[in-house]
Amino acid sequence: ASLEISNMICTGDDSGSALDVRRAQLWDFSSVWVRNSSSDGRLSFGAVSVFERLSMHDNSTFVVEDSVMLGGGSAGAGLRGPAVSAVLQHNAQLSVRRCSTDGAGGSGGAVALQSVTVSHNAKVVIEDSSTSGSKSQGGCLSVQWIRLADAGGLTMERCRTMGPTSSGGALVASEFVQ
């Protein structure tokens, strides 16, 4: 099974996301693709927002590509879940490519989550993503904690953060467990 969202534009004072869900569960080669989507507004949020839990298993994929958030409260241009515990297992892959955030409160330019557990050959891949803004932080991956176990992998390439108070151009995490 697959779900694809492409060429979505959200504009307004409180711009939302191309996809807003409470929980996301992917199994058995299922996939979600978000492409060429953007949000432009005072409180712009991510191309994909998950509010409680993201779980991925058994060769499932979640891909966010070429998405841009513009706005005063921009956060998580690719995937946003500030209270989400994400679990990736058994060859699942979360990929964010060519995503960016640009705003006065720009933070979490690619992925912003509460926590991520990656295990059993699952992977998180973030490429060519950035944050630019007066309070930029977490330009690539922003989490409270991340745990890698049993051949779980994390790859970040060509990511950057720009701004007067920039911090964490690649990885921002309070705790990293391997």
Side-chain angles (χ1 to χ4, degrees):
S2 64
L3 169 66
E4 181 171 340
I5 297 172
S6 60
N7 303 307
M8 291 286 292
I9 301 175
C10 302
T11 60
D13 286 343
D14 300 311
S15 296
S17 306
L19 176 64
D20 279 348
V21 295
R22 185 168 296 278
R23 298 184 184 94
Q25 295 185 355
L26 283 74
W27 297 85
D28 300 327
F29 295 92
S30 60
S31 62
V32 174
W33 292 78
V34 179
R35 296 187 174 106
N36 302 307
S37 295
S38 66
S39 179
D40 188 348
R42 182 171 55 86
L43 297 174
S44 298
F45 294 137
V48 176
S49 292
V50 181
F51 294 99
E52 286 187 4
R53 185 172 177 82
L54 169 64
S55 58
M56 299 174 57
H57 311 271
D58 303 327
N59 298 285
S60 60
T61 57
F62 197 129
V63 182
V64 185
E65 295 180 329
D66 302 302
S67 295
V68 180
M69 300 299 112
L70 305 171
S74 303
L79 175 63
R80 173 183 178 269
V84 165
S85 297
V87 177
L88 283 70
Q89 296 179 325
H90 303 113
N91 300 301
Q93 182 163 320
L94 167 64
S95 299
V96 177
R97 307 185 186 107
R98 300 176 300 278
C99 289
S100 63
T101 297
D102 191 345
S107 60
V111 173
L113 298 169
Q114 172 70 17
S115 63
V116 180
T117 299
V118 187
S119 64
H120 298 93
N121 296 297
K123 294 181 180 179
V124 175
V125 179
I126 304 178
E127 301 173 335
D128 303 298
S129 295
S130 65
T131 299
S132 178
S134 63
K135 295 183 180 179
S136 302
Q137 56 184 340
C140 189
L141 175 62
S142 178
V143 295
Q144 287 298 310
W145 60 265
I146 182 169
R147 179 176 181 264
L148 303 180
D150 301 320
L154 169 64
T155 301
M156 294 181 287
E157 296 181 338
R158 300 176 301 277
C159 295
R160 63 183 180 178
T161 301
M162 298 179 292
T165 57
S166 299
S167 61
L171 172 64
V172 175
S174 298
E175 184 176 356
F176 187 89
V177 181
Q178 192 171 16

